[in-house]
């Protein structure tokens, strides 16, 4: 009788362990994104970059505000496409506690300054010279925008060109 | 569930077919048939209870039929995944939904709709593999322990019925003289049999450990599966590419900013048929053209001091200089950097002279850093050049406007504005490689090309794989199991002394010829009669029947 009980317990434990291993395998496989990008809901990696006017921006200083973090390049057409819309929405939302940080993927000052002048951008634009921020955010395809909420969590990651309407919608989502 | 008590007094668990001690047949198998010796006729655990849900699940996974079915399903599924390329192998620019239909028609569409384009990471495929692993483990547990126990407990004296129903069996009638078995024992010992004796009966056994082969093999397989599973755990496996120009220093991706690498120089060396050393290869060089000898990156590895945020200025400690060559990666702290690609002679600077088109008089020269150009270049007094636009990788777009398709200076083009004392407003000139356009009318001055500087770029693979040693261990254990199970046989010979006869029986898990030879050698020149192979006997007798019939 005792033996039988022991056997039942050991079988249960072994089956539970194996079941847990299987669930774990499925879980890690499905939370892993195809381009190994950041997970939604995870903490946005902190960084410090200096914008083109010489002002330092530390992401953690924006706690309490929503941050629309955009990665872009001057050679990337869809990036250029969404820039004017970002500029428009920036004007609408900057008083409502949503900031735009536009991180260029390591181009020259010359190229970025020319681009800012061309599109009359007023939000902070910064160059990630060492590609470190890009690595931290595992940026693969441009453009990509990370929606960081007031707690500093990445609530969504959007790749591809955005329309003005969708930018507005996303800004609403991170409005504190 | 009642236990079964044998005539010899040994108590066997329910489901036992052959008494663990004396070998008497407990089941109701037909008389005169050879005994099925699999798992020593012990009670496989799964067959004993069929009660709770746990037991039912356990029995399911313990079944060999279920295991084989899972293997077959996994095989078929894996094969289906190779019919069309998986999603990761199609061009990254293509939309999968369209790509499969466009390339492979309706079949491609069905393939895509069924999710076969991502088969190996699909939930059902993982579940099949997972269930296979579970089945492997449970089936092994269920068989190993009873088998181990019954081999450990086996008795020397065996029931007559057990002996008679072994495949190899012989009887020697004792007439006047008694047979001395000492000689036989010695010979068996010399053949590396372990001898156990009990009341004059003998059990000679060798190679029992070969029976554990399959279980060792399964343990290896399970370790291998665990290793494969751990690959998807963050931090266990990294595979990234790092492009570095000569002179450039960057963070090594995947190291969370801990390590930086500087490319000091990249060298591509080719075989030179003129040189003394490589003369022997001249025929091959003539045949195929240039042949690379080495790809080498001279690098310096740095480690970050203290904690800094990405983008922040870092203090670096130099760790070491290294020459990375093919198959000679730079290894440090579980990371390995392999030479994987290169680009020779990427443009780095381009120099121009400002000249008068007619007189060709020179008014100064400037050098544009293609990765970091300036807005304005001052020449001698009264002369300056503005860089209005710069396109590192120039091309005309659909509307005929110049644009750049990347930030890499593969095909640089410039729009200059040249200010001179006689043209203070400036003249605009569009300069690309081998092409100058004057969009706003005829100019007096031009930017004359005055040479380039280039640098090489190296590409390194950043690899970290903490699962490798697990896979390796699993693989080795797997092979040990295979060897253990296939190159050794478990042979047993029973000799039972009775009043007027001596019974001899033999059993092996494989290679019956081997055990027959062992017996023959052991009983040679004694008056013991050579045992018969009852299975062959049966075959030949049934053959005889056919012939007779």
């Amino acid at each position: 009788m005792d033996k039988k009980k022991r056997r039942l317990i050991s079988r249960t434990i072994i089956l539970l362990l194996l079941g847990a291993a299987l669930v774990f395998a499925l879980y890690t496989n499905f939370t892993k994104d195809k381009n190994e990008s950041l997970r939604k809901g995870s903490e946005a990696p902190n960084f410090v970059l200096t914008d083109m006017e010489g002002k330092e921006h530390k992401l953690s200083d924006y706690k309490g505000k929503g941050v629309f973090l955009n990665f872009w390049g001057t050679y990337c057409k869809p990036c250029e496409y969404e820039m004017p819309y970002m500029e428009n929405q920036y004007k609408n939302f900057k008083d409502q506690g949503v900031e735009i940080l536009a991180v260029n993927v390591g181009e020259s000052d010359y190229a970025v300054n020319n681009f800012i002048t061309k599109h009359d951008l007023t939000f902070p634009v910064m160059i990630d010279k060492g590609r470190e921020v890009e690595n931290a955010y595992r940026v693969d395809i441009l453009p990509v925008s990370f929606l960081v909420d007031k707690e500093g969590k990445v609530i969504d990651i959007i790749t591809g060109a955005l329309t003005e309407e969708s930018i507005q919608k996303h800004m609403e989502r991170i409005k504190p | 569930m009642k236990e079964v008590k044998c005539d010899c007094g040994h108590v066997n668990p329910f489901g036992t077919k052959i008494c663990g001690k004396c070998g008497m047949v407990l089941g109701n198998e037909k008389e005169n048939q050879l005994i099925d010796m699999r798992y020593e006729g012990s009670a496989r655990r799964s067959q004993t209870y069929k009660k709770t849900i746990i037991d039912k699940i356990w029995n399911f996974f313990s079944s060999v039929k279920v295991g084989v079915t899972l293997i077959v399903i996994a095989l078929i599924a894996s094969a289906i995944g190779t019919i069309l390329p998986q999603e990761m192998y199609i061009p990254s620019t293509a939309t999968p939904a369209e790509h499969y239909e466009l390339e492979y028609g309706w079949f491609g569409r069905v393939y895509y709709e069924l999710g076969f384009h991502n088969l190996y990471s699909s939930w059902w495929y993982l579940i099949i593999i997972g269930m296979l692993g579970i089945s492997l483990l449970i089936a092994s547990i269920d068989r190993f322990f009873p088998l181990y126990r019954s081999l450990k407990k086996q008795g020397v004296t065996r029931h007559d019925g057990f002996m008679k129903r072994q495949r190899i069996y012989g009887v020697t009638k004792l007439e006047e003289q008694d047979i001395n078995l000492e000689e036989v024992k010695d010979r068996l010992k010399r053949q590396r049999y372990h001898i156990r004796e009990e009341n004059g009966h003998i059990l000679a056994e060798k190679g029992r450990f070969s029976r554990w082969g399959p279980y060792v093999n399964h343990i290896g397989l399970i370790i291998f599966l665990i290793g494969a599973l751990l690959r998807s755990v963050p931090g266990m496996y990294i595979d990234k590419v790092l492009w570095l120009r000569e002179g450039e220093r960057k963070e090594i991706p995947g190291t969370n900013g801990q390590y930086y690498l500087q490319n000091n120089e990249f060298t591509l060396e080719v075989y030179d048929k003129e040189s003394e050393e490589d003369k022997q290869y001249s025929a091959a060089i003539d045949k195929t053209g240039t042949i690379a000898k080495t790809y080498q990156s001279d690098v310096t590895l740095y480690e970050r001091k203290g904690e800094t945020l990405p983008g922040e200025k870092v203090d670096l400690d130099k760790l070491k200089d290294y020459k990375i060559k093919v198959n000679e990666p730079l290894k440090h702290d579980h990371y390995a950097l392999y030479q994987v690609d290169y680009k020779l002679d990427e443009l780095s600077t381009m120099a121009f002279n400002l000249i008068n088109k007619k007189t060709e008089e020179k008014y100064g020269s400037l050098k544009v850093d293609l990765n970091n150009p300036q807005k304005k270049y001052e020449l001698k007094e009264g002369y300056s050049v503005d860089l209005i636009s710069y396109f590192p990788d120039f091309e005309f777009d659909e509307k005929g406007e110049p644009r750049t398709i990347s930030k890499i200076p593969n095909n640089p083009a410039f729009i200059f504005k040249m200010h001179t004392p006689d043209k203070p407003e400036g003249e605009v000139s569009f300069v690309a490689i081998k092409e100058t356009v004057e969009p706003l009318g005829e100019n007096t001055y031009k930017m004359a090309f005055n040479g380039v500087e280039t640098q090489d770029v190296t590409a390194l693979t950043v690899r970290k794989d903490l699962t490798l040693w697990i896979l390796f261990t699993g693989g080795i254990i797997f092979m040990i199991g295979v060897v253990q199970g296939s190159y050794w046989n478990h042979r047993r010979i029973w000799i039972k002394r009775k009043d007027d006869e001596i019974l001899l029986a033999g059993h092996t898990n494989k290679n019956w010829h081997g055990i027959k030879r062992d017996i023959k050698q052991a009983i040679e020149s004694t008056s013991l009669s050579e045992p018969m192979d009852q299975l062959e006997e049966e075959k030949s007798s049934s053959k005889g029947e056919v012939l007779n019939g």
Side-chain angles (χ1 to χ4, degrees):
Chain A
M1 211 44 205
D2 219 8
K3 209 167 144 195
K4 228 171 108 185
K5 213 174 220 170
R6 258 210 323 267
R7 186 168 286 180
L8 182 67
I9 290 168
S10 66
R11 281 184 179 186
T12 314
I13 291 170
I14 292 169
L15 281 174
L16 281 177
L17 282 176
L18 293 173
L22 186 58
V23 169
F24 171 76
L26 288 171
Y27 174 79
T28 50
N29 194 63
F30 287 107
T31 46
K32 186 182 72 183
D33 217 277
K34 261 178 259 153
N35 350 309
E36 289 182 39
S37 63
L38 281 185
R39 283 178 194 173
K40 284 177 201 172
S42 66
E43 181 121 1
N46 198 6
F47 63 87
V48 181
L49 284 175
T50 309
D51 70 17
M52 302 314 288
E53 281 155 18
K55 197 177 160 232
E56 217 173 60
H57 296 266
K58 193 176 189 176
L59 185 71
S60 57
D61 290 345
Y62 290 100
K63 280 251 166 83
K65 276 182 162 188
V67 177
F68 187 91
L69 178 62
N70 177 263
F71 287 85
W72 67 282
T74 61
Y75 53 87
C76 145
K77 271 211 151 169
C79 304
E80 189 162 4
Y81 170 86
E82 64 183 11
M83 279 294 171
Y85 304 140
M86 276 163 60
E87 177 63 28
N88 289 344
Q89 292 307 315
Y90 175 67
K91 283 174 188 146
N92 288 343
F93 278 92
K94 72 175 165 188
D95 298 330
Q96 301 178 46
V98 180
E99 188 66 56
I100 289 182
L101 298 179
V103 178
N104 176 276
V105 290
E107 289 182 273
S108 62
D109 289 8
Y110 174 86
V112 173
N113 278 326
N114 255 11
F115 189 88
I116 293 174
T117 318
K118 185 177 168 191
H119 293 284
D120 265 327
L121 304 178
T122 57
F123 50 77
V125 176
M126 47 212 76
I127 305 175
D128 180 22
K129 290 266 187 212
R131 317 290 295 274
E132 292 162 12
V133 181
E134 215 184 310
N135 284 341
Y137 280 82
R138 295 174 217 162
V139 172
D140 185 27
I141 302 162
L142 294 182
V144 57
S145 301
F146 294 81
L147 304 183
V148 182
D149 71 3
K150 62 178 193 292
E151 262 100 49
K153 291 225 156 41
V154 177
I155 59 164
D156 207 355
I157 299 162
I158 305 123
T159 47
L162 295 167
T163 59
E164 184 149 8
E165 210 186 338
S166 60
I167 292 176
Q168 189 192 347
K169 243 189 282 164
H170 292 313
M171 297 281 224
E172 287 290 349
R173 292 169 65 192
I174 47 174
K175 203 166 81 178
Chain B
M1 297 302 147
K2 276 201 197 103
E3 287 164 329
V4 189
K5 194 167 178 184
C6 175
D7 292 354
C8 71
H10 185 69
V11 180
N12 295 287
F14 174 80
T16 308
K17 289 192 188 121
I18 305 169
C19 171
K21 189 139 194 290
C22 74
M24 192 173 95
V25 179
L26 302 170
N28 37 5
E29 282 174 63
K30 263 191 254 162
E31 198 74 34
N32 300 328
Q33 212 173 35
L34 294 183
I35 304 174
D36 178 5
M37 290 286 284
R38 267 191 301 168
Y39 310 112
E40 297 298 296
S42 60
R44 255 165 293 149
R45 287 184 173 191
S46 62
Q47 298 185 336
T48 49
Y49 305 127
K50 283 190 176 162
K51 278 213 144 166
T52 62
I53 181 80
I54 292 290
D55 290 328
K56 278 186 182 151
I57 298 172
W58 189 273
N59 293 347
F60 175 78
F61 284 116
S62 172
S63 153
V64 169
K65 260 187 214 153
V66 170
V68 170
T69 312
L70 284 170
I71 290 173
V72 170
I73 294 172
L75 273 178
I76 293 172
S78 305
I80 288 173
T82 64
I83 298 176
L84 296 184
Q86 293 286 293
E87 193 186 8
M88 59 168 152
Y89 298 119
I90 69 169
S92 56
T93 47
T95 330
E98 291 165 6
H99 178 84
Y100 281 97
E101 189 165 8
L102 227 65
E103 288 282 312
Y104 311 105
W106 64 269
F107 181 73
R109 194 189 154 80
V110 172
Y111 199 82
Y112 176 79
E113 292 293 335
L114 290 173
F116 290 164
H117 64 296
N118 258 330
L119 189 136
Y120 300 112
S121 51
S122 66
W123 60 269
W124 58 268
Y125 186 78
L126 289 176
I127 286 178
I128 290 169
I129 299 295
M131 280 170 65
L132 192 59
I134 294 174
S135 143
L136 216 59
L137 195 70
I138 291 183
S140 300
I141 291 174
D142 241 12
R143 285 164 180 76
F144 172 76
F145 290 102
L147 176 65
Y148 177 81
R149 214 167 292 141
S150 59
L151 281 178
K152 202 172 162 105
K153 276 192 205 149
Q154 64 178 326
V156 175
T157 319
R158 287 283 159 148
H159 194 267
D160 287 4
F162 175 87
M163 306 275 283
K164 204 182 285 173
R165 289 167 71 179
Q166 290 299 321
R167 182 168 156 187
I168 291 177
Y169 176 66
V171 189
T172 309
K173 292 269 177 231
L174 291 176
E175 277 147 29
E176 278 108 61
Q177 89 288 18
D178 196 21
I179 295 177
N180 188 1
L181 288 176
E182 286 306 312
E183 179 66 21
V184 178
K185 247 167 57 188
D186 279 348
R187 287 192 195 148
L188 284 172
K189 261 185 201 155
R190 249 174 280 139
Q191 294 183 57
R192 304 226 170 112
Y193 278 88
H194 298 284
I195 310 285
R196 277 168 65 199
E197 269 183 289
E198 194 180 272
N199 307 327
H201 311 304
I202 295 170
L203 165 59
E205 181 180 16
K206 78 171 176 187
R208 192 197 284 184
F209 92 111
S210 135
R211 298 288 288 269
W212 318 139
Y215 308 103
V216 172
N217 172 278
H218 284 181
I219 289 168
L221 210 54
I222 285 158
I223 292 174
F224 196 91
L225 278 178
I226 290 171
L229 194 117
L230 284 177
R231 254 188 192 207
S232 54
V233 177
M236 291 298 276
Y237 181 74
I238 283 164
D239 184 4
K240 295 196 181 284
V241 176
L242 171 64
W243 282 92
L244 268 183
R245 294 190 174 111
E246 281 172 332
E248 198 176 22
R249 180 167 67 202
K250 271 202 244 169
E251 172 191 308
I252 301 175
T255 66
N256 293 322
Q258 196 187 351
Y259 295 106
Y260 282 72
L261 196 75
Q262 180 168 313
N263 177 8
N264 301 318
E265 195 186 356
F266 175 78
T267 342
L268 168 64
E269 212 181 304
V270 294
Y271 285 102
D272 176 13
K273 65 175 173 180
E274 305 299 324
S275 85
E276 203 49 40
E277 195 188 338
D278 301 337
K279 239 176 22 200
Q280 48 184 327
Y281 307 120
S282 60
I285 296 168
D286 283 337
K287 212 168 140 193
T288 52
T290 22
I291 301 171
K293 197 175 185 177
T294 29
Y295 304 93
Q296 180 180 316
S297 302
D298 298 354
V299 296
T300 310
L301 180 68
Y302 295 89
E303 184 169 13
R304 180 184 60 188
K305 263 198 263 181
E307 283 290 310
T308 50
L309 292 177
E312 207 169 16
K313 201 177 166 332
V314 284
D315 276 341
L316 295 174
D317 268 336
K318 183 176 159 177
L319 289 182
K320 58 180 145 187
D321 289 318
Y322 194 80
K323 296 180 194 325
I324 299 177
K325 292 182 192 169
V326 175
N327 293 335
E328 288 176 34
L330 165 58
K331 287 189 173 169
H332 185 77
D333 185 22
H334 300 301
Y335 293 98
L337 291 156
Y338 293 89
Q339 185 70 52
V340 69
D341 202 354
Y342 66 95
K343 185 178 164 196
L344 291 180
D345 303 326
E346 186 182 279
L347 298 170
S348 65
T349 67
M350 214 172 233
F352 298 94
N353 288 328
L354 175 63
I355 60 166
N356 184 306
K357 272 160 75 179
K358 267 203 196 100
T359 63
E360 299 204 348
E361 196 185 334
K362 224 173 99 180
Y363 300 101
S365 59
L366 59 91
K367 193 151 104 181
V368 180
D369 181 342
L370 296 175
N371 292 309
N372 190 18
Q374 284 166 241
K375 213 172 160 54
K376 194 175 182 73
Y377 294 86
E378 293 287 348
L379 304 176
K380 67 180 179 184
E381 216 185 314
Y383 294 87
S384 69
V385 177
D386 290 342
L387 180 57
I388 299 179
S389 268
Y390 165 51
F391 311 97
D393 203 349
F394 153 75
E395 142 189 311
F396 284 112
D397 67 8
E398 317 82 79
K399 287 182 230 147
E401 307 253 331
R403 62 171 296 228
T404 182
I405 50 172
S406 80
K407 58 183 171 182
I408 296 151
N410 292 322
N411 181 23
F414 313 83
I415 299 177
F416 290 116
K417 196 172 204 180
M418 302 164 288
H419 299 279
T420 49
D422 55 323
K423 305 267 182 188
E425 290 300 307
E427 290 179 333
V428 174
S429 172
F430 177 87
V431 182
I433 290 172
K434 287 185 182 164
E435 190 183 359
T436 304
V437 181
E438 294 169 356
L440 306 177
E442 190 77 5
N443 291 344
T444 315
Y445 298 93
K446 83 169 202 181
M447 300 296 290
F449 179 70
N450 186 30
V452 292
E453 284 171 354
T454 62
Q455 60 194 355
D456 300 334
V457 194
T458 186
L460 305 167
T461 291
V462 184
R463 185 71 57 79
K464 175 186 176 186
D465 191 350
L466 296 182
T467 69
L468 209 60
W469 67 270
I470 303 177
L471 300 180
F472 200 67
T473 314
I476 287 177
I477 293 175
F478 180 98
M479 279 318 293
I480 290 174
V482 171
V483 170
Q484 193 177 336
S486 20
Y487 289 94
W488 280 271
N489 329 125
H490 180 214
R491 294 174 187 167
R492 274 174 296 172
I493 299 164
W494 294 275
I495 299 173
K496 188 171 185 182
R497 183 187 278 274
K498 298 184 77 172
D499 289 342
D500 54 348
E501 55 186 10
I502 288 181
L503 308 184
L504 191 150
H507 181 261
T508 179
N509 60 340
K510 59 171 88 64
N511 188 4
W512 291 84
H513 177 73
I515 192 173
K516 279 188 234 169
R517 202 182 44 212
D518 282 355
I519 295 173
K520 200 171 172 184
Q521 269 176 30
I523 62 173
E524 209 178 3
S525 75
T526 64
S527 46
L528 277 174
S529 47
E530 199 180 321
M532 286 185 304
D533 185 332
Q534 303 201 70
L535 199 67
E536 259 169 33
E537 206 62 10
E538 220 171 82
K539 260 188 223 154
S540 57
S541 70
S542 62
K543 244 185 235 159
E545 271 170 32
V546 173
L547 282 178
N548 292 339

